[in-house]
Coordinates of all heavy atoms in Angstrom, one line a residue:
G266 N 34.3 19.6 9.4 CA 34.9 18.5 8.7 C 34.7 18.6 7.2 O 35.5 18.2 6.4
V267 N 33.5 19.2 6.8 CA 33.2 19.3 5.4 C 34.3 20.2 4.7 O 34.8 19.9 3.6 CB 31.8 19.8 5.2 CG1 31.5 20.2 3.7 CG2 30.8 18.7 5.6
K268 N 34.6 21.3 5.4 CA 35.6 22.2 4.9 C 37.0 21.6 4.9 O 37.7 21.6 3.9 CB 35.6 23.5 5.7 CG 35.2 24.7 5.0 CD 35.5 26.0 5.8 CE 34.5 27.0 5.4 NZ 34.2 27.9 6.5
L269 N 37.3 21.0 6.0 CA 38.6 20.4 6.2 C 39.0 19.4 5.1 O 40.0 19.5 4.4 CB 38.7 19.8 7.6 CG 40.0 19.1 8.0 CD1 41.1 20.1 8.3 CD2 39.8 18.2 9.2
F270 N 38.0 18.4 5.0 CA 38.3 17.3 4.0 C 38.0 17.8 2.6 O 38.6 17.3 1.6 CB 37.5 16.1 4.4 CG 37.8 15.6 5.7 CD1 36.8 15.4 6.7 CD2 39.1 15.3 6.1 CE1 37.1 14.9 8.0 CE2 39.4 14.8 7.4 CZ 38.4 14.6 8.3
G271 N 37.2 18.8 2.4 CA 36.9 19.4 1.1 C 38.1 20.0 0.5 O 38.4 19.9 -0.7
K272 N 38.8 20.8 1.4 CA 40.0 21.5 0.9 C 41.1 20.5 0.5 O 41.8 20.7 -0.5 CB 40.5 22.3 2.1 CG 40.7 23.8 1.9 CD 41.2 24.5 3.1 CE 41.7 25.8 2.8 NZ 42.1 26.5 4.0
A273 N 41.2 19.4 1.3 CA 42.3 18.5 1.0 C 42.0 17.6 -0.2 O 43.0 17.1 -0.8 CB 42.4 17.5 2.2
T274 N 40.8 17.4 -0.6 CA 40.4 16.6 -1.7 C 39.9 17.3 -2.9 O 39.9 16.8 -4.0 CB 39.3 15.6 -1.3 OG1 38.2 16.3 -0.9 CG2 39.8 14.6 -0.2
R275 N 39.5 18.6 -2.7 CA 38.9 19.4 -3.8 C 37.6 18.7 -4.3 O 37.3 18.8 -5.5 CB 39.8 19.7 -4.9 CG 41.1 20.4 -4.4 CD 41.6 21.3 -5.5 NE 42.9 21.9 -5.0 CZ 44.0 21.9 -5.7 NH1 44.0 21.3 -6.9 NH2 45.0 22.4 -5.2
C276 N 37.0 18.0 -3.4 CA 35.7 17.3 -3.9 C 34.6 17.6 -2.8 O 34.9 18.1 -1.7 CB 35.9 15.8 -3.9 SG 37.0 15.2 -5.1
R277 N 33.4 17.4 -3.2 CA 32.3 17.6 -2.3 C 32.2 16.5 -1.3 O 32.2 15.3 -1.6 CB 31.0 17.7 -3.1 CG 29.8 18.3 -2.2 CD 28.9 19.1 -3.0 NE 28.6 18.5 -4.3 CZ 27.8 17.5 -4.6 NH1 27.1 16.9 -3.6 NH2 27.6 17.1 -5.8
I278 N 32.1 17.0 0.0 CA 32.2 16.0 1.1 C 30.8 15.9 1.8 O 30.2 16.9 2.1 CB 33.2 16.5 2.2 CG1 34.6 16.7 1.5 CG2 33.2 15.6 3.4 CD1 35.3 15.4 1.1

Side-chain angles (χ1 to χ4, degrees):
V267 167
K268 242 192 211 150
L269 179 73
F270 300 125
K272 237 180 165 177
T274 58
R275 301 208 187 131
C276 292
R277 191 147 39 81
I278 302 291

